[in-house]
Amino acid sequence: MNALFARHALLPEGWQGDVLVEWDARGTLTRVQPQARPPIGVARAEYVVPGMVNLHSHAFQRALGGLTERVGEGPDSFWTWRDLMYRFAAQITPEQVEAIGAQLFSECLRHGYTALCEFHYIQRDPRGHMYARPAEMAERVAAAGQQAGIGLTLLPVLYSYSGFGAQPLKPEQARFYTDVDTVLSIVEALEPLRGGQLEVGAAPHSLRAAGIDQIHALMGALPQARPLHIHIAEQQAEVQQSLDFSGRRPVDYLFDAVEIDARWCLVHATHLNDKELGNLARSGAVAGLCPSTEANLGDGLFPLGDYLANGGRWGIGSDSHVSQSPIEELRWLEYGQRLLHQRRNIVGAPARRDVALNLWQDALGGGAQAAGRPVGALAAGRRADLLVLDATHPNLDGVRDTDVLGRLVFCGNDNLVRDVLAGGRWVVQGGRHMAQEAIGRRYRQAIQELREVSA
Ligand code: NGQ
Ligand code: ZN
């Protein structure tokens, strides 16, 4: 039977007791009933929360995690890291993208992400030619998602230029090249894969890599309900380039030129002035915050406190995958603000006192919106994506439900995610992913091949 009885479950309105959760064969929740009687023969759990949405990923970068932490020739920066990343991207094959993706997605699931948005920009072969199938690489990511059982939003990337003002791509960016028609042809090729566990949107890479006219053309051609994501204002150098080219800061420039609404996710949006912050918060778009990668790359801190005070929406992503855990993103997000302001409990207010609860619920709301899929809540009609926490762990043993998220987000480093249901399938049980061995074997082989190429 597709059902679970939770002694405590986190619903949109907060923690509820004795919740019967049911889902259908397609993986959609059909009933979420608090104060229910436990039916005979239905599996039981102590603490259940909705699975988290990871709204920003470049899956292939998982294989590079931890390998760029050495001092180079000049001062190391985002831009020197990017050179290393390009060198890595230059060699990778479709098979390797699939193997790395499946490994990453299985890790994300084990740590509590049940949905992920893939900002996908390696489309061409190493010589810059399209593969015989225009969506070859994107289809590999989709296959990896299916092997691991994670829900995906695939975002084929519009990537035409190397900098503001339509500067030509550099040779090392040749694998990324797309124009609007190419992106639309990839979107079209992915159409048959759309379903409960997969949606397709699109993503202009950045204002550096896509022109305003192109963004308009893409918006016009993509079906209305599909999500659009863009990298923006991650680095000060990008802000300066935007000022030099357009006389405006990137977020300002984007808002002046493009109608930004709830369809959009602005990834990073780190460097905002007050006007930009107000416009973004009012627009209904989601700020896609990736705290572990933003820290790793030395981006800066998003002005979260002011953004929340203006009613802004946000979600989390693991981007370069130096972390695969939503706990680390949420903890970094809150701690960055505490260090910056020398205060405590930033994501909260007198009417919303539970910081960990606010972090989890807000990230679910923004993540679901950015994913363009019915995820992010235990409610009929949403996807059956949930986490059963390890109630026997000392951090959770016997705690009140209202303390569960505080323990989960702010205490310790053990993974407290025990079982994971994604799209109505148990993909993690007892902390183990169902296909861990096969996925791990292919991943190790891919890594070994890549090491040989680079050696
Ligand atoms: C990316 N990553 O596309 O992988 C980017 C770096 C760029 C982040 N922004 C490349 N974290 O922005 O040009
Ligand atoms: Zn990114």
Side-chain angles (χ1 to χ4, degrees), residues 56 58 119 231 267-268 319:
H56 191 66
H58 310 288
F119 198 107
H231 290 126
V267 181
H268 309 304
D319 192 351

Side-chain angles (χ1 to χ4, degrees), residues 151-174:
L152 284 182
T153 302
L154 275 178
L155 304 160
V157 170
L158 172 61
Y159 200 124
S160 298
Y161 309 118
S162 73
F164 286 92
Q167 295 170 46
L169 288 183
K170 299 175 184 166
E172 56 269 34
Q173 295 169 319

Side-chain angles (χ1 to χ4, degrees), residues 56 58 60-61 78-79 81-82 85-86 119 121 159 173 205-206 208 231 234 268 293 297 299 319-320:
H56 191 66
H58 310 288
F60 76 93
Q61 291 178 15
F78 174 94
W79 309 100
W81 167 84
R82 194 176 74 156
M85 184 271 280
Y86 283 171
F119 198 107
Y121 63 86
Y159 200 124
Q173 295 169 319
H205 179 274
S206 55
R208 292 176 273 121
H231 290 126
E234 182 177 14
H268 309 304
T293 292
L297 297 179
D299 289 346
D319 192 351
S320 70

Side-chain angles (χ1 to χ4, degrees), residues 57-66 81 85 88-89 92 100 104 118-119 121-122 293 297 318-322:
S57 160
H58 310 288
F60 76 93
Q61 291 178 15
R62 164 67 183 87
L64 205 56
W81 167 84
M85 184 271 280
F88 179 74
I92 199 163
I100 295 166
L104 168 72
E118 179 67 12
F119 198 107
Y121 63 86
I122 306 184
T293 292
L297 297 179
S318 61
D319 192 351
S320 70
H321 311 297
V322 286

